[in-house]
Protein backbone atom coordinates (compact mmCIF):
# COMPACT_ATOMS: atom_id res chain seq x y z
CA UNK A 1 0.00 0.00 0.00
CA UNK A 2 3.05 2.27 0.09
CA UNK A 3 2.32 3.51 -3.44
CA UNK A 4 -0.82 5.27 -2.24
CA UNK A 5 -1.24 8.33 -0.09
CA UNK A 6 -2.58 7.65 3.40
CA UNK A 7 -5.75 9.67 2.87
CA UNK A 8 -8.07 8.86 -0.05
CA UNK A 9 -11.32 10.79 -0.49
CA UNK A 10 -10.99 12.01 3.09
CA UNK A 11 -10.59 8.45 4.44
CA UNK A 12 -7.51 7.69 6.50
CA UNK A 13 -6.51 4.35 4.99
CA UNK A 14 -4.07 3.67 7.81
CA UNK A 15 -6.93 3.46 10.33
CA UNK A 16 -9.51 1.42 8.45
CA UNK A 17 -11.27 -1.22 10.60
CA UNK A 18 -11.11 -4.92 9.80
CA UNK A 19 -14.22 -7.02 10.45
CA UNK A 20 -14.22 -10.63 11.54
CA UNK A 21 -16.50 -13.13 9.80
CA UNK A 22 -18.70 -13.19 12.90
CA UNK A 23 -19.00 -9.40 12.90
CA UNK A 24 -19.91 -9.45 9.19
CA UNK A 25 -22.64 -11.98 9.86
CA UNK A 26 -24.09 -9.93 12.71
CA UNK A 27 -24.00 -6.74 10.64
CA UNK A 28 -25.71 -8.43 7.68
CA UNK A 29 -28.50 -9.56 9.97
CA UNK A 30 -29.02 -5.93 10.98
CA UNK A 31 -28.69 -4.67 7.40
CA UNK A 32 -31.44 -7.07 6.37
CA UNK A 33 -33.69 -5.35 8.91
CA UNK A 34 -32.97 -1.91 7.46
CA UNK A 35 -30.30 -0.78 9.93
CA UNK A 36 -28.49 2.07 8.13
CA UNK A 37 -25.78 2.36 10.77
CA UNK A 38 -24.95 -1.33 10.36
CA UNK A 39 -24.66 -0.80 6.60
CA UNK A 40 -22.26 2.11 7.11
CA UNK A 41 -20.17 0.04 9.52
CA UNK A 42 -20.08 -2.85 7.05
CA UNK A 43 -18.99 -0.52 4.23
CA UNK A 44 -16.17 0.96 6.33
CA UNK A 45 -15.14 -2.53 7.39
CA UNK A 46 -14.66 -3.54 3.75
CA UNK A 47 -12.86 -0.49 2.40
CA UNK A 48 -9.58 -2.40 2.69
CA UNK A 49 -11.00 -4.76 0.07
CA UNK A 50 -11.61 -1.82 -2.27
CA UNK A 51 -8.08 -0.54 -1.67
CA UNK A 52 -6.55 -3.91 -2.47
CA UNK A 53 -8.50 -4.09 -5.74
CA UNK A 54 -7.67 -0.60 -7.03
CA UNK A 55 -3.97 -1.47 -6.81
CA UNK A 56 -4.55 -3.58 -9.93
CA UNK A 57 -5.44 -0.41 -11.82
CA UNK A 58 -2.56 1.73 -10.58
CA UNK A 59 -1.09 2.05 -14.09
CA UNK A 60 -4.38 3.13 -15.68
CA UNK A 61 -3.48 6.80 -15.29
CA UNK A 62 -6.73 7.56 -13.47
CA UNK A 63 -6.94 9.63 -10.29
CA UNK A 64 -6.73 7.24 -7.33
CA UNK A 65 -9.53 9.07 -5.49
CA UNK A 66 -11.84 8.52 -8.45
CA UNK A 67 -11.00 4.82 -8.64
CA UNK A 68 -11.65 4.50 -4.92
CA UNK A 69 -15.08 6.11 -5.21
CA UNK A 70 -16.01 3.88 -8.14
CA UNK A 71 -14.80 0.86 -6.19
CA UNK A 72 -17.06 1.92 -3.32
CA UNK A 73 -20.03 1.96 -5.68
CA UNK A 74 -19.22 -1.63 -6.59
CA UNK A 75 -18.89 -2.50 -2.90
CA UNK A 76 -22.30 -1.04 -2.07
CA UNK A 77 -23.91 -2.88 -4.97
CA UNK A 78 -22.35 -6.09 -3.69
CA UNK A 79 -23.73 -5.44 -0.19
CA UNK A 80 -27.21 -4.75 -1.54
CA UNK A 81 -27.32 -7.88 -3.69
CA UNK A 82 -25.43 -10.38 -1.54
CA UNK A 83 -27.45 -13.42 -0.48
CA UNK A 84 -26.37 -14.51 2.99
CA UNK A 85 -27.80 -17.98 2.34
CA UNK A 86 -25.15 -18.62 -0.31
CA UNK A 87 -22.26 -20.73 0.89
CA UNK A 88 -19.61 -18.15 -0.09
CA UNK A 89 -17.68 -15.43 1.68
CA UNK A 90 -18.77 -11.87 1.03
CA UNK A 91 -15.35 -10.97 -0.37
CA UNK A 92 -15.61 -13.78 -2.94
CA UNK A 93 -18.90 -12.29 -4.15
CA UNK A 94 -17.82 -8.64 -3.92
CA UNK A 95 -14.48 -8.72 -5.74
CA UNK A 96 -15.83 -9.32 -9.28
CA UNK A 97 -18.53 -6.67 -8.76
CA UNK A 98 -15.99 -4.07 -7.65
CA UNK A 99 -13.61 -4.97 -10.47
CA UNK A 100 -16.46 -4.84 -12.99
CA UNK A 101 -17.55 -1.39 -11.78
CA UNK A 102 -14.01 -0.03 -12.12
CA UNK A 103 -13.54 -1.55 -15.57
CA UNK A 104 -16.81 -0.04 -16.79
CA UNK A 105 -15.69 3.33 -15.48
CA UNK A 106 -12.32 3.08 -17.25
CA UNK A 107 -13.98 1.96 -20.47
CA UNK A 108 -16.57 4.74 -20.45
CA UNK A 109 -14.30 7.49 -19.16
CA UNK A 110 -11.27 7.15 -21.40
CA UNK A 111 -12.26 9.86 -23.89
CA UNK A 112 -13.72 12.67 -21.78
CA UNK A 113 -12.37 14.36 -18.65
CA UNK A 114 -14.89 15.79 -16.20
CA UNK A 115 -14.08 18.10 -13.29
CA UNK A 116 -13.77 16.58 -9.83
CA UNK A 117 -16.68 18.56 -8.34
CA UNK A 118 -19.04 17.45 -11.12
CA UNK A 119 -17.97 13.83 -10.67
CA UNK A 120 -18.52 14.07 -6.92
CA UNK A 121 -22.07 15.31 -7.52
CA UNK A 122 -22.67 12.44 -9.95
CA UNK A 123 -21.28 9.87 -7.51
CA UNK A 124 -23.48 11.18 -4.70
CA UNK A 125 -26.51 10.99 -6.98
CA UNK A 126 -25.65 7.40 -7.92
CA UNK A 127 -25.21 6.38 -4.27
CA UNK A 128 -28.51 8.01 -3.32
CA UNK A 129 -30.34 6.53 -6.30
CA UNK A 130 -29.23 3.03 -5.29
CA UNK A 131 -30.34 3.65 -1.70
CA UNK A 132 -33.78 5.02 -2.66
CA UNK A 133 -34.38 2.22 -5.17
CA UNK A 134 -33.66 -0.33 -2.46
CA UNK A 135 -36.20 1.39 -0.20
CA UNK A 136 -39.06 1.88 -2.64
CA UNK A 137 -38.41 -0.68 -5.41
CA UNK A 138 -38.63 2.07 -8.03
CA UNK A 139 -36.28 4.53 -9.65
CA UNK A 140 -36.37 7.93 -7.89
CA UNK A 141 -37.07 11.11 -9.83
CA UNK A 142 -34.45 13.83 -10.22
CA UNK A 143 -36.53 16.00 -7.87
CA UNK A 144 -36.40 13.29 -5.21
CA UNK A 145 -32.64 12.99 -5.57
CA UNK A 146 -32.29 16.76 -5.37
CA UNK A 147 -34.34 16.90 -2.18
CA UNK A 148 -32.42 14.02 -0.57
CA UNK A 149 -29.02 15.54 -1.43
CA UNK A 150 -30.02 19.21 -1.04
CA UNK A 151 -28.52 19.88 -4.47
CA UNK A 152 -30.31 21.76 -7.29
CA UNK A 153 -31.99 19.34 -9.72
CA UNK A 154 -30.28 20.95 -12.71
CA UNK A 155 -26.86 20.33 -11.14
CA UNK A 156 -27.67 16.64 -10.74
CA UNK A 157 -28.87 16.34 -14.33
CA UNK A 158 -25.74 18.10 -15.59
CA UNK A 159 -23.42 15.91 -13.50
CA UNK A 160 -25.06 12.64 -14.52
CA UNK A 161 -25.00 13.67 -18.18
CA UNK A 162 -21.35 14.69 -17.91
CA UNK A 163 -20.17 11.21 -16.92
CA UNK A 164 -22.11 9.43 -19.65
CA UNK A 165 -20.33 8.05 -22.70
CA UNK A 166 -20.85 9.99 -25.93
CA UNK A 167 -23.02 8.36 -28.60
CA UNK A 168 -22.35 8.26 -32.29
CA UNK A 169 -24.84 10.11 -34.50
CA UNK A 170 -24.98 6.88 -36.47
CA UNK A 171 -26.13 4.84 -33.45
CA UNK A 172 -29.29 2.95 -34.53
CA UNK A 173 -32.32 3.62 -32.32
CA UNK A 174 -35.00 1.74 -34.24
CA UNK A 175 -35.27 -0.72 -37.11
CA UNK A 176 -38.22 -1.91 -39.14
CA UNK A 177 -38.13 -4.12 -42.25
CA UNK A 178 -34.38 -3.66 -42.47
CA UNK A 179 -34.57 0.17 -42.48
CA UNK A 180 -32.66 1.52 -39.49
CA UNK A 181 -33.38 4.91 -37.92
CA UNK A 182 -30.33 6.66 -36.49
CA UNK A 183 -29.79 9.28 -33.81
CA UNK A 184 -28.91 11.81 -36.51
CA UNK A 185 -32.39 11.32 -37.95
CA UNK A 186 -33.87 12.68 -34.70
CA UNK A 187 -31.87 15.90 -34.69
CA UNK A 188 -33.04 19.17 -36.18
CA UNK A 189 -30.47 21.31 -37.99
CA UNK A 190 -32.05 24.73 -37.62
CA UNK A 191 -28.74 26.53 -37.02
CA UNK A 192 -27.09 25.37 -40.21
CA UNK A 193 -30.06 24.85 -42.51
CA UNK A 194 -29.01 27.80 -44.69
CA UNK A 195 -25.56 26.26 -45.10
CA UNK A 196 -26.59 22.67 -45.71
CA UNK A 197 -25.46 20.81 -48.81
CA UNK A 198 -28.99 20.97 -50.23
CA UNK A 199 -28.63 24.73 -50.68
CA UNK A 200 -24.97 24.77 -51.62
CA UNK A 201 -25.56 23.23 -55.05
CA UNK A 202 -28.36 23.57 -57.55
CA UNK A 203 -30.81 20.73 -56.92
CA UNK A 204 -33.89 22.16 -58.54
CA UNK A 205 -33.82 19.77 -61.48
CA UNK A 206 -33.13 16.77 -59.26
CA UNK A 207 -35.93 17.65 -56.85
CA UNK A 208 -38.38 18.01 -59.70
CA UNK A 209 -37.86 14.32 -60.51
CA UNK A 210 -39.33 13.33 -57.12
CA UNK A 211 -42.92 12.38 -56.41
CA UNK A 212 -45.06 14.91 -54.58
CA UNK A 213 -44.65 13.20 -51.19
CA UNK A 214 -40.90 12.70 -51.64
CA UNK A 215 -40.54 16.36 -52.60
CA UNK A 216 -42.49 17.34 -49.46
CA UNK A 217 -40.32 15.18 -47.20
CA UNK A 218 -37.04 16.54 -48.65
CA UNK A 219 -38.31 20.10 -48.22
CA UNK A 220 -39.37 19.53 -44.59
CA UNK A 221 -36.20 17.65 -43.67
CA UNK A 222 -33.50 19.70 -45.39
CA UNK A 223 -35.00 23.17 -45.94
CA UNK A 224 -37.04 23.45 -42.74
CA UNK A 225 -34.70 21.36 -40.59
CA UNK A 226 -37.38 19.08 -39.13
CA UNK A 227 -36.76 15.62 -37.64
CA UNK A 228 -38.23 12.49 -39.19
CA UNK A 229 -40.64 12.28 -36.26
CA UNK A 230 -41.87 15.84 -36.89
CA UNK A 231 -42.26 15.11 -40.61
CA UNK A 232 -44.19 11.91 -39.86
CA UNK A 233 -46.60 13.79 -37.60
CA UNK A 234 -47.12 16.56 -40.17
CA UNK A 235 -47.89 14.34 -43.16
CA UNK A 236 -49.62 11.60 -41.11
CA UNK A 237 -47.45 8.56 -41.92
CA UNK A 238 -45.10 6.46 -39.79
CA UNK A 239 -41.51 7.49 -39.10
CA UNK A 240 -40.31 4.29 -40.76
CA UNK A 241 -42.17 5.28 -43.95
CA UNK A 242 -40.61 8.75 -43.81
CA UNK A 243 -37.18 7.12 -43.53
CA UNK A 244 -37.77 4.85 -46.52
CA UNK A 245 -39.16 7.66 -48.70
CA UNK A 246 -36.36 10.01 -47.72
CA UNK A 247 -33.68 7.46 -48.60
CA UNK A 248 -35.38 6.67 -51.91
CA UNK A 249 -35.63 10.38 -52.74
CA UNK A 250 -31.95 10.97 -51.93
CA UNK A 251 -30.93 8.02 -54.10
CA UNK A 252 -33.00 9.40 -56.99
CA UNK A 253 -31.44 12.85 -56.62
CA UNK A 254 -27.88 11.53 -56.32
CA UNK A 255 -28.32 9.26 -59.34
CA UNK A 256 -29.57 12.21 -61.36
CA UNK A 257 -26.72 14.48 -60.27
CA UNK A 258 -24.09 11.84 -60.94
Amino acid sequence: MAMYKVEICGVNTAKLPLLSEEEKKELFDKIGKGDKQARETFIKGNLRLVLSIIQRFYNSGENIDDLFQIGCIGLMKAIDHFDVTMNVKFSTYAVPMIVGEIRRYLRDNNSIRVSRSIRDTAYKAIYTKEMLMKKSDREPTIEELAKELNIPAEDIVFALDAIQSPLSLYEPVYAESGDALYIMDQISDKKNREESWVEEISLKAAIERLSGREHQIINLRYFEGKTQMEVAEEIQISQAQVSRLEKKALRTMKNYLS
Side-chain angles (χ1 to χ4, degrees):
M1 301 298 297
M3 67 180 66
Y4 294 112
K5 57 186 180 183
V6 173
E7 188 171 287
I8 298 180
C9 296
V11 176
N12 188 335
T13 60
K15 297 182 179 181
L16 289 175
L18 188 62
L19 300 175
S20 67
E21 290 302 318
E22 184 61 31
E23 287 174 322
K24 290 179 182 179
K25 185 178 182 303
E26 291 177 0
L27 287 171
F28 253 118
D29 289 340
K30 294 179 180 179
I31 292 172
K33 298 174 182 177
D35 190 325
K36 293 182 180 180
Q37 185 58 50
R39 188 172 185 272
E40 285 295 315
T41 301
F42 194 91
I43 290 171
K44 290 178 181 178
N46 282 275
L47 291 181
R48 288 178 182 270
L49 180 62
V50 176
L51 287 172
S52 68
I53 291 171
I54 62 177
Q55 290 186 67
R56 305 181 191 182
F57 302 93
Y58 179 70
N59 294 322
S60 67
E62 288 294 326
N63 183 286
I64 198 64
D65 287 358
D66 292 338
L67 291 181
F68 182 72
Q69 290 194 57
I70 295 299
C72 288
I73 292 177
L75 172 63
M76 287 188 285
K77 287 183 177 180
I79 292 172
D80 292 340
H81 293 91
F82 183 61
D83 185 350
V84 294
T85 63
M86 295 191 302
N87 191 27
V88 295
K89 289 184 176 181
F90 173 75
S91 58
T92 303
Y93 177 79
V95 167
M97 293 197 72
I98 297 171
V99 170
E101 199 71 27
I102 293 173
R103 283 178 175 164
R104 279 191 294 275
Y105 167 79
L106 293 176
R107 179 195 66 206
D108 296 341
N109 193 56
N110 60 4
S111 60
I112 293 180
R113 299 290 172 179
V114 180
S115 74
R116 178 64 186 278
S117 61
I118 292 174
R119 286 191 191 184
D120 284 346
T121 298
Y123 297 148
K124 289 176 183 177
I126 292 171
Y127 298 153
T128 305
K129 178 181 176 181
E130 290 280 335
M131 180 187 69
L132 294 178
M133 285 180 68
K134 187 173 175 60
K135 279 184 182 178
S136 60
D137 292 325
R138 67 175 179 82
E139 186 170 339
T141 65
I142 292 298
E143 289 71 22
E144 289 170 334
L145 290 176
K147 182 178 180 181
E148 185 76 19
L149 292 170
N150 195 28
I151 295 175
E154 56 269 25
D155 289 355
I156 294 177
V157 172
F158 179 80
L160 291 175
D161 283 346
I163 65 171
Q164 296 301 310
S165 299
L167 290 176
S168 167
L169 287 177
Y170 293 93
E171 185 83 15
V173 295
Y174 176 78
E176 180 181 302
S177 304
D179 292 312
L181 302 180
Y182 300 94
I183 289 177
M184 67 177 298
D185 294 327
Q186 316 301 309
I187 301 174
S188 297
D189 189 17
K190 295 181 173 64
K191 180 179 179 181
N192 297 312
R193 72 174 67 151
E194 300 301 326
E195 303 169 3
S196 68
W197 69 273
V198 177
E199 294 186 333
E200 288 176 358
I201 60 177
S202 177
L203 294 174
K204 182 178 180 181
I207 291 176
E208 287 177 351
R209 299 178 66 86
L210 303 177
S211 69
R213 176 154 285 182
E214 290 170 348
H215 190 168
Q216 184 181 18
I217 289 172
I218 291 298
N219 182 65
L220 292 171
R221 284 282 286 142
Y222 293 96
F223 287 94
E224 297 188 23
K226 294 188 176 182
T227 68
Q228 287 188 348
M229 181 64 75
E230 290 170 335
V231 174
E233 291 177 355
E234 181 164 333
I235 64 178
Q236 297 298 300
I237 62 174
S238 71
Q239 187 175 357
Q241 288 177 296
V242 171
S243 177
R244 282 196 291 270
L245 289 169
E246 179 183 332
K247 290 173 183 176
K248 180 176 179 294
L250 291 175
R251 282 196 300 269
T252 299
M253 292 163 63
K254 288 177 182 178
N255 289 338
Y256 178 81
L257 291 170
S258 62

